[in-house]
Amino acid sequence: MVAAFLAVPSMSMAEDGVKLSPEQATSLGVRVVHPVASPTDKTLPYPAQIVVPTPQLWVVSAPVAGMVTNLSVARGDRVIAGQPLATMESQGFVSQQRDYLHAVAQEVLVTQQLNRNTQLFQGNAVAQRVLEASQAEARQASIVVAERRQMLRLSGLSDETISRLTNEAAISAALTVAAPRPATVIDIAVSPGQRMEQSAPLIKIAQLSPLWVEIAIPASNIKAIRQGARVEVDGYETAGQVVLVSETTDPATQTVLVRAEVPNSGDLRPGQTAAARISFASKRENAWELPYSALFRRGEQASVFVATQDGFRLVPVTLLEEDQDHVVVSGPITNKDEVAASGISALRGILLKLGAG
């Protein structure tokens, strides 16, 4: 190649341009192609993973320590708010009900005492400090009742069930664990007959629409991706949009996480893999497809050699997408331009040699 350079005395450079005759270009193996308009303005398909958004994932835990006696749902079932998921038997639950009823009874006693002391105080039969002591005891009793009631709510009892317990004093060892909201059961971590500690996970439920599509984009291509860009999952009609472009790069794979949110009509399933295409950042700019060999890089700047009347000029472009065979770029080129697709090493060598001179 060096011999070829020396055999072409009329070559020169000006403003990133190489002056070459057609014969000289042919002798250096330079072949040109016309840019092809990218009809979709979307990336090539990237492998993607369908996952449940973390805000739509809930773990139903054991409200008390006890034994699971029954499961009312199975993996994949859809449930509504308040629907029974499991039944437990718990000595601790019995103690909670007993403590609540004891607090209610104590509140009744101190309230009655307060009423008597109030009447006696109005008749000057007791001192004011006796009335104030009764008032303090009544407030304390109300606080204890509220605390015990809240403990029962945390165990899954509704206000209606707590009122029935208050009126009937019917203590039960069985506790029903219910779904907190409409969702789909995606995992069951317990079996009937198993003893569980308080707060141990029982059942995992999730809302399955929308879903996240997580895509690993090569760091070299990430400049073309912006938040809000349209995302299409191959084989799925409904499009989504990019909600996150990670600010970090995976050091092992040199990829950047791009997360899209896609409405789910039931065709997408968490855990499945798919292929996703992302629209480029700006659809106002034309996108052009060229052979990978046409791309010339200097640092982070990508350029192409465009044929001129006197030779070739180096035109900076924005790299939108690349694979092993093709690149998609945007920039001041058209489909009427002739872009060098081979002989780039020779043109590059001339450019660097003359630039150094």
Side-chain angles (χ1 to χ4, degrees):
M1 185 177 294
V2 173
F5 294 163
L6 298 176
V8 187
S10 61
M11 294 184 298
S12 64
M13 181 192 76
E15 297 182 354
D16 283 346
V18 176
K19 183 174 289 189
L20 278 176
S21 68
E23 293 77 14
Q24 291 169 337
T26 301
S27 68
L28 292 174
V30 177
R31 179 179 63 86
V32 298
V33 296
H34 291 282
V36 177
S38 176
T40 60
D41 282 353
K42 291 192 290 290
T43 65
L44 299 172
Y46 285 111
Q49 184 82 27
I50 311 300
V51 299
V52 179
T54 50
Q56 297 169 201
L57 190 63
W58 302 277
V59 176
V60 180
S61 302
V64 293
M67 182 180 69
V68 176
T69 58
N70 175 260
L71 288 174
S72 305
V73 294
R75 191 169 180 266
D77 287 351
R78 291 187 178 181
V79 297
I80 61 175
Q83 179 175 334
L85 301 178
T87 304
M88 298 182 66
E89 287 187 355
S90 168
Q91 182 179 353
F93 181 51
V94 172
S95 299
Q96 285 184 0
Q97 297 170 86
R98 180 203 63 203
D99 292 343
Y100 169 73
L101 292 175
H102 176 76
V104 169
Q106 187 65 26
E107 183 184 32
V108 171
L109 288 176
V110 297
T111 300
Q112 292 174 348
Q113 184 64 45
L114 174 62
N115 291 336
R116 284 195 296 270
N117 287 338
T118 300
Q119 293 173 356
L120 292 172
F121 176 75
Q122 291 173 348
N124 296 321
V126 297
Q128 182 174 351
R129 59 181 177 80
V130 175
L131 176 62
E132 292 174 348
S134 293
Q135 291 173 335
E137 290 177 359
R139 283 195 297 271
Q140 183 62 32
S142 296
I143 292 172
V144 174
V145 169
E147 176 191 9
R148 300 302 182 187
R149 181 184 292 270
Q150 188 62 34
M151 292 292 292
L152 292 176
R153 287 197 185 104
L154 291 175
S155 295
L157 294 190
S158 64
D159 288 338
E160 180 182 357
T161 303
I162 295 174
S163 296
R164 188 163 57 249
L165 172 64
T166 305
N167 296 329
E168 300 176 3
I171 295 178
S172 172
L175 170 65
T176 299
V177 181
R181 64 194 71 228
T184 298
V185 177
I186 62 172
D187 190 31
I188 296 179
V190 67
S191 300
Q194 187 172 350
R195 292 191 174 276
M196 309 298 294
E197 296 295 328
Q198 185 176 6
S199 300
L202 300 177
I203 296 173
K204 186 180 293 185
I205 61 175
Q207 180 183 334
L208 300 185
S209 182
L211 290 174
W212 281 348
V213 179
E214 295 192 339
I215 314 162
I217 305 293
S220 58
N221 296 349
I222 200 64
K223 291 181 179 179
I225 310 302
R226 293 290 184 273
Q227 188 165 327
R230 178 184 173 92
V231 175
E232 296 181 5
V233 179
D234 285 1
Y236 185 71
E237 294 183 358
T238 306
Q241 67 175 14
V242 173
V243 295
L244 171 73
V245 179
S246 177
E247 297 181 356
T248 61
T249 301
D250 187 320
T253 62
Q254 288 299 293
T255 57
V256 177
L257 172 66
V258 173
R259 179 179 296 141
E261 188 173 271
V262 180
N264 182 25
S265 59
D267 294 332
L268 292 178
R269 292 171 173 80
Q272 80 178 83
T273 57
R277 301 172 186 265
I278 307 174
S279 297
F280 296 139
S282 175
K283 293 189 176 181
R284 292 176 294 178
E285 294 184 69
N286 291 326
W288 305 101
E289 183 176 326
L290 291 166
Y292 184 87
S293 58
L295 197 66
F296 172 59
R297 302 177 193 260
R298 285 197 295 190
E300 296 185 358
Q301 177 61 59
S303 305
V304 294
F305 285 99
V306 177
T308 64
Q309 186 175 0
D310 298 327
F312 291 87
R313 62 186 174 90
L314 198 60
V315 177
V317 293
T318 300
L319 180 62
L320 300 177
E321 173 69 9
E322 64 178 311
D323 60 19
Q324 294 180 344
D325 301 315
H326 303 88
V327 294
V328 179
V329 300
S330 65
I333 59 176
T334 71
N335 57 355
K336 296 181 180 180
D337 288 325
E338 293 182 337
V339 176
S342 63
I344 303 301
S345 296
L347 295 175
R348 177 179 180 276
I350 297 169
L351 195 66
L352 297 178
K353 177 180 177 63
L354 295 178

